[in-house]
Amino acid sequence: MTTPTAQGLPPVGWQHDALPLLRAWAAAEPHIRDLRVHGSAAEGAEGLDRWSDLDFVVTSSSAPQTLADDFAGLASSSLGPIYTSSRIDDEHSVGIRLVLRDLRRIDLTVRSATVREPAPAVPPRETREVLAELVNAYRFDAVLAAVKAARGDVLIGSHMALQLPRHLLVAAMVLRDRDTGTNHHRHGHTAWDSWAHRLAAAPQPYSPPAITAAIRFHTHVLHHLLAEQAPEAVGDEQPLLALLDAVDSAAA
């Protein structure tokens, strides 16, 4: 088994070193019908770097929840302590994502073999619909942030204002996915990163005037993003801007 680098990061190639342990576990489990490696680890060494996770899917004739718990225990005892994790359960499958203490990442999906008919495919949502929801959420949080600034509630006003760049970045992600035809992006350093770079100039929303300034800034950037990439999603932000004017005038 490879060991962490001097910097504490996992070494290149750790995924292939871990695979024999996973396959031995699957072979010893009578309820496991199949184990398949997915993602970059299945594509060959040329697709791997130390940041790649190890992603695999198991088909089980037993309860997926029990098998997922067993694997988490195996990973902790045989690969190293678990630093953090996430889990998603539904009736027929369990997905667990483990981050080990040395920062190796392992994703396991356990699916029930008793589900013979695949779930009906859900058609992808239209980009226009997704953007409309994002803009609506942006406006709602922006209005709440402005009202809290008007009342001098910097704590909640700051919290709500800090939601705005997140909505904006999600909109940029949706548009990038639309243009590239995928939501799987192994590397950055594309023109889309410029929308994140622009947010570095945003005012820090930790006072009432700074909260309204941050809302104006992010609303301006959102408008430019939509005008450039999705003109059909551009809306009228005059109600929000009028509210910001009123808040600023009351504080003057």
Side-chain angles (χ1 to χ4, degrees):
M1 183 70 66
T2 53
T3 57
T5 63
Q7 293 81 15
L9 298 175
V12 175
W14 70 265
Q15 299 88 347
H16 289 309
D17 288 346
L19 278 174
L21 174 68
L22 305 182
R23 291 192 171 113
W25 167 70
E29 280 283 352
H31 297 293
I32 292 181
R33 300 283 185 85
D34 183 50
L35 181 151
R36 295 179 184 272
V37 180
H38 285 252
S40 53
E43 297 168 2
E46 65 279 0
L48 287 171
D49 57 20
R50 62 166 46 95
W51 310 114
S52 300
D53 61 6
L54 179 53
D55 185 3
F56 65 106
V57 177
V58 163
T59 303
S60 171
S61 60
S62 66
Q65 292 78 6
T66 300
L67 205 57
D69 290 339
D70 290 346
F71 173 74
L74 172 78
S76 179
S77 62
S78 300
L79 295 175
I82 295 173
Y83 176 58
T84 186
S85 64
S86 70
R87 178 171 177 143
I88 300 176
D89 292 62
D90 63 31
E91 184 179 358
H92 302 297
S93 67
V94 176
I96 57 173
R97 308 183 73 181
L98 306 178
V99 180
L100 305 183
R101 187 171 179 82
D102 63 5
L103 302 180
R104 288 175 291 171
R105 296 181 296 116
I106 302 177
D107 291 1
L108 165 67
T109 301
V110 183
R111 295 174 178 164
S112 174
T114 60
V115 181
R116 300 187 181 278
E117 293 297 327
V122 178
R125 299 175 66 199
E126 292 289 337
T127 299
R128 180 193 295 264
E129 179 186 356
V130 176
L131 288 176
E133 289 185 4
L134 284 169
V135 170
N136 184 64
Y138 178 96
R139 290 172 173 170
F140 192 86
D141 286 347
V143 169
L144 290 184
V147 170
K148 290 300 180 182
R151 291 178 171 174
D153 191 339
V154 175
L155 179 64
I156 298 180
S158 299
H159 165 69
M160 301 308 299
L162 289 170
Q163 298 277 65
L164 303 183
R166 179 181 181 275
H167 293 313
L168 201 159
L169 291 171
V170 172
M173 290 161 56
V174 168
L175 290 166
R176 179 179 68 169
D177 293 348
R178 179 202 64 183
D179 284 0
T180 59
T182 180
N183 60 5
H184 181 66
H185 307 277
R186 283 180 51 80
H187 302 287
H189 305 296
T190 70
W192 288 98
D193 291 344
S194 66
W195 294 103
H197 299 329
R198 296 186 192 197
L199 301 187
Q204 296 298 309
Y206 301 126
S207 69
I211 290 171
T212 57
I215 297 170
R216 288 182 188 279
F217 176 91
H218 289 113
T219 303
H220 178 76
V221 176
L222 178 62
H223 175 83
H224 277 270
L225 171 66
L226 297 178
E228 179 180 311
Q229 301 294 333
E232 71 281 0
V234 174
D236 178 15
E237 303 305 338
Q238 188 56 40
L240 174 60
L241 297 176
L243 172 60
L244 295 173
D245 288 342
V247 174
D248 289 342
S249 295

